[in-house]
Amino acid sequence: MKKKIAFITGIAGQDGSFLTELLLKKNYKVYGIIRRNSVVEHQRNRIEHLSKNLELLYGDLLNESSLAQLLRKIKPNEIYNLAAQSHVRISFDIPEFTAKTNALGVLNILQAYKNEAPSAKFYQASSSEMFGRSVDKDGYQRETTPMEPTSPYGCSKVFAYNLVKHFRFAYKLFACNGILFNHESTRRGSNFVTNKVVKNSVKIALGFQKYLEVGNIHAYRDWGHAKDYVKAMHKILNYKKPDDWVVATGQTRSVGQMIDYVFNRLNLNKKKHLRINKKFFRPEELKYLKGDSRKIRKTLKWKPEYSFENMLDEMIDFWMDFYKKNNRSKEF
Ligand code: GDD
């Protein structure tokens, strides 16, 4: 049987690397684009262990002609658009770059898709950050919840989400949005809150440093594991029709509760080791996220395998092992 071909933007990120592993296991040929970077190794450390069925190419969402050329050549069956400026707080510092990449970049890849590979299926990494201030009366966000984004990042994602729907209806394309709530793992960038808390707490427990410094501990998030969430992406493109889907655990916890769990496991005292620093606050905070994922659970039979505790335990054990083996100066 002919191998299915996938094209992934953002392949070097947390989700791109887990999705690539999943698709290679399913016998896909995977192509991914990376941006030019002066230190090549930094781009590849999440994916360098993967096989010959993976090909990395240079490309950029801001360069439509290169996207078109690649899609014409590769002829993918599935396109996963995971590339983005994905850090919400940083989007307040670089709003224009964020909008160009996350909004106009999606327009670029949709145009290339429509013109060069219209029979492919298209997945857009949409985000629960799009809901912003909006929560339904029962305390959940779902596919029908209005969107009131609270950051340049959230605004850019709403633009892209609407474009994907528009391309689906206007040009009869199989274009889908996965509205993913927060999802974490040991591969999460260290400036997102879970991995930041875990790594720094482990270093405190080992005596390498004294404090964990964070921002708003009263925000609530619905945290799942990235490995579970990339399975949802694949299911979304392999359903009989294109649609938009919320992917979430349905449980919410505050940043403070997450820190409590990690500190308890490592026997750390908050009074002694936790500091609040204004520099990590956002001009406007998204205060509360809890996703209702009944639609994808019922229709696509998706459900998360990791619990919140299993996920944090895996991260704590990983970083404990890492820092015990390596000198702390050898970070990555
Ligand atoms: N990053 C960070 N650093 N966040 C902190 C800190 C800190 O020191 N202290 C408190 N927080 C709070 C943030 O204010 C936010 O309320 C929460 O922790 C989670 O922050 P992040 O882990 O940075 O994630 P996010 O929710 O802003 O965005 C992530 O999830 C979105 C889906 O809802 C990103 O992965 C986005 O790309 C994604 O779309």
Side-chain angles (χ1 to χ4, degrees), residues 86 127-128 153 182 188 191 193 196 215-216 219 221 282 285:
S86 67
S127 160
S128 51
Y153 171 86
N182 297 49
R188 189 54 143 152
N191 57 355
V193 79
K196 173 175 172 179
N216 185 355
R221 290 292 182 273
R282 294 145 193 215
E285 175 68 86

Side-chain angles (χ1 to χ4, degrees), residues 38-316:
S38 53
V39 187
V40 181
E41 294 75 15
H42 287 177
Q43 287 182 293
R44 294 171 192 246
N45 61 25
R46 290 188 178 101
I47 44 180
E48 65 196 357
H49 59 291
L50 296 173
S51 81
K52 60 178 178 354
N53 280 324
L54 166 65
E55 206 166 311
L56 295 179
L57 305 154
Y58 284 104
D60 195 308
L61 284 187
L62 298 179
N63 192 335
E64 193 200 331
S65 62
S66 75
L67 294 171
Q69 208 177 359
L70 287 172
L71 292 183
R72 199 177 312 139
K73 203 172 111 202
I74 292 166
K75 298 188 181 57
N77 305 96
E78 296 172 11
I79 301 168
Y80 294 88
N81 184 39
L82 312 184
Q85 191 303 89
S86 67
H87 200 284
V88 175
R89 201 201 52 73
I90 295 173
S91 79
F92 291 94
D93 301 336
I94 47 168
E96 194 180 331
F97 174 77
T98 303
K100 277 188 183 149
T101 308
N102 299 2
L104 295 182
V106 179
L107 177 61
N108 286 343
I109 191 163
L110 281 169
Q111 297 276 28
Y113 162 44
K114 168 166 110 36
N115 295 332
E116 307 295 342
S119 55
K121 295 173 171 185
F122 182 93
Y123 175 90
Q124 164 63 12
S126 284
S127 160
S128 51
E129 185 73 21
M130 298 188 304
F131 295 119
R133 296 168 216 103
S134 180
V135 190
D136 285 355
K137 283 209 175 77
D138 64 356
Y140 286 89
Q141 287 105 351
R142 49 179 61 86
E143 289 82 1
T144 50
T145 306
M147 291 172 183
E148 289 183 42
T150 50
S151 61
Y153 171 86
C155 295
S156 70
K157 284 285 179 179
V158 172
F159 182 96
Y161 165 86
N162 283 316
L163 269 183
V164 169
K165 286 184 89 149
H166 161 62
F167 269 63
R168 182 196 310 154
F169 295 122
Y171 308 113
K172 310 284 173 279
L173 294 169
F174 199 108
C176 309
N177 285 292
I179 306 172
L180 270 52
F181 283 60
N182 297 49
H183 44 286
E184 318 295 311
S185 74
T186 57
R187 296 185 195 171
R188 189 54 143 152
S190 308
N191 57 355
F192 293 91
V193 79
T194 53
N195 219 17
K196 173 175 172 179
V197 166
V198 171
K199 283 178 78 169
N200 284 285
S201 304
V202 164
K203 288 198 225 170
I204 298 169
L206 291 172
F208 295 158
Q209 70 183 50
K210 263 211 142 99
Y211 307 108
L212 163 67
E213 283 200 353
V214 294
N216 185 355
I217 57 170
H218 302 296
Y220 280 77
R221 290 292 182 273
D222 177 330
W223 279 293
H225 195 296
K227 254 190 188 172
D228 285 332
Y229 286 34
V230 299
K231 290 182 191 155
M233 296 178 187
H234 181 254
K235 279 182 182 282
I236 288 170
L237 288 201
N238 285 276
Y239 185 52
K240 58 184 183 233
K241 61 181 180 68
D243 206 342
D244 307 316
W245 308 85
V246 158
V247 183
T249 70
Q251 293 181 9
T252 189
R253 290 175 178 87
S254 69
V255 173
Q257 287 169 333
M258 187 264 295
I259 295 174
D260 283 342
Y261 183 83
V262 176
F263 269 38
N264 280 340
R265 261 229 37 203
L266 295 168
N267 283 322
L268 298 178
N269 181 330
K270 273 211 294 200
K271 279 202 184 103
K272 230 168 123 185
H273 298 294
L274 181 65
R275 282 184 169 180
I276 305 297
N277 187 332
K278 286 277 169 218
K279 107 174 166 203
F280 299 112
F281 280 66
R282 294 145 193 215
E284 185 179 2
E285 175 68 86
L286 192 168
K287 295 193 180 106
Y288 178 90
L289 284 175
K290 183 163 80 161
D292 173 1
S293 55
R294 271 180 297 177
K295 178 174 160 185
I296 194 168
R297 289 176 193 244
K298 197 163 165 248
T299 317
L300 304 188
K301 309 282 175 251
W302 174 86
K303 65 173 178 13
E305 280 165 25
Y306 277 86
S307 67
F308 174 76
E309 291 80 11
N310 292 156
M311 179 185 82
L312 287 175
D313 287 345
E314 182 188 90
M315 292 166 77
I316 295 167

